[in-house]
Amino acid sequence: MMKTDEDTRTSWENLLKMAEEALTINEGYHFFKSAYRLGLKALDQNQLEAEARSLHNEAEEKLSSWRKKTVSELITHPVKMENLAEARKILDEHFDNRYFTNDLIKRQIFCWFFYFTVVLLAIFFLILFGFPNSRLPLGKIEQHASINMLLLIFLFGALGGTIFSFLSTTQKSASARIIDQLLTWYVTLIRPLWGGVGALVVYLGLQAGIFQVNLEHEGALVLSISIAAGYAERLATGALENVATLISKDKAKTNTGK
């Protein structure tokens, strides 16, 4: 039986009821932790001391940086209920952040799986309706690529960008800051688009002879490089840097000739 006033007891019971009726596990756990902190008012001094030792040990193992330092400063002797509740709240907030980032990573993985499926379907239908005999153009390709071929190169680049985004998301740590997770999420959302553009840039660079690769207009090699260009953005930026270098050299020669 809680040795508290009626209002506190009513609030405690309402929080537990909200935890039971919550639609998600995270939401229910949030209300349960709030009820747990409120229940600290019912503990006597010996129970508060025991709770403080348990919380201190958990904080030492789970927390770092300012949270760990603050919890340590709040747990004084004799233990005060208000300080203990605040220390527990700081620890709970840490776990809330971890749950949020875990949920965000799960959403990102689902999103990349959806992108991956859409790109594969787009490639499938483009090959089915856009090329003779519905075959992937792996052999000789023309010097001047058709619109369908350029679109296929773009899609293969987007496929590479999606694969990169998926792998980078699965390697993320749930301990990363929420703001870092969100910023990375917004940036990587455009990675498939940039992958497709990068593949086109690299393809044009290959046609212009910027890269020292003997293509002989082989479709299989072009598509493989398109995926690599989408996966590794450095290929596209390298092509642009080479173009800028060539332009600078041509201007220097022109000025020298004058």
Side-chain angles (χ1 to χ4, degrees), residues 100-113 169 185:
F100 177 83
T101 52
N102 278 331
D103 186 62
L104 183 60
I105 290 174
K106 290 178 183 178
R107 291 170 182 262
Q108 291 173 356
I109 291 175
F110 176 80
C111 180
W112 296 131
F113 179 78
T169 299
W185 172 232

Side-chain angles (χ1 to χ4, degrees), residues 2 7 33 37 43 56 66 68 86 93-95 117 119 134 136 138 145 149 163 194 204 219 222 229 252-253 255:
M2 294 182 63
D7 290 340
K33 288 184 294 185
R37 293 195 300 269
L43 303 183
H56 179 269
W66 68 270
K68 182 176 180 180
E86 183 63 25
E93 288 175 347
H94 165 74
F95 288 120
T117 303
V119 173
S134 300
L136 190 66
L138 300 179
M149 188 62 194
I163 293 173
W194 169 244
L204 294 177
V222 168
K253 290 180 180 179
N255 293 332

Side-chain angles (χ1 to χ4, degrees), residues 72-219:
S72 180
E73 292 174 348
L74 286 171
I75 300 177
T76 58
H77 297 283
V79 177
K80 296 181 180 179
M81 189 280 297
E82 294 81 4
N83 289 354
L84 186 60
E86 183 63 25
R88 172 57 66 178
K89 182 179 179 181
I90 292 174
L91 184 61
D92 290 342
E93 288 175 347
H94 165 74
F95 288 120
D96 286 341
N97 291 342
R98 293 291 295 270
Y99 297 145
F100 177 83
T101 52
N102 278 331
D103 186 62
L104 183 60
I105 290 174
K106 290 178 183 178
R107 291 170 182 262
Q108 291 173 356
I109 291 175
F110 176 80
C111 180
W112 296 131
F113 179 78
F114 175 77
Y115 278 12
F116 185 78
T117 303
V118 169
V119 173
L120 281 182
L121 287 175
I123 292 174
F124 172 78
F125 284 109
L126 180 60
I127 295 173
L128 185 64
F129 299 107
F131 292 93
N133 300 321
S134 300
R135 292 183 177 180
L136 190 66
L138 300 179
K140 302 287 184 178
I141 60 175
E142 299 178 358
Q143 178 71 22
H144 302 288
S146 65
I147 294 297
N148 286 343
M149 188 62 194
L150 291 177
L151 181 57
L152 189 63
I153 291 171
F154 177 88
L155 289 174
F156 268 71
L159 184 64
T162 304
I163 293 173
F164 174 86
S165 298
F166 176 81
L167 293 178
S168 62
T169 299
T170 57
Q171 295 169 2
K172 287 180 181 178
S173 171
S175 61
R177 294 189 307 166
I178 292 178
I179 186 63
D180 294 334
Q181 293 278 13
L182 291 174
L183 288 175
T184 303
W185 172 232
Y186 294 140
V187 171
T188 53
L189 272 176
I190 64 173
R191 185 60 189 258
L193 177 61
W194 169 244
V197 173
L200 291 175
V201 170
V202 171
Y203 173 73
L204 294 177
L206 291 170
Q207 293 286 28
I210 294 175
F211 295 108
Q212 300 301 316
V213 177
N214 184 17
L215 280 179
E216 296 184 354
H217 310 300
E218 290 287 347

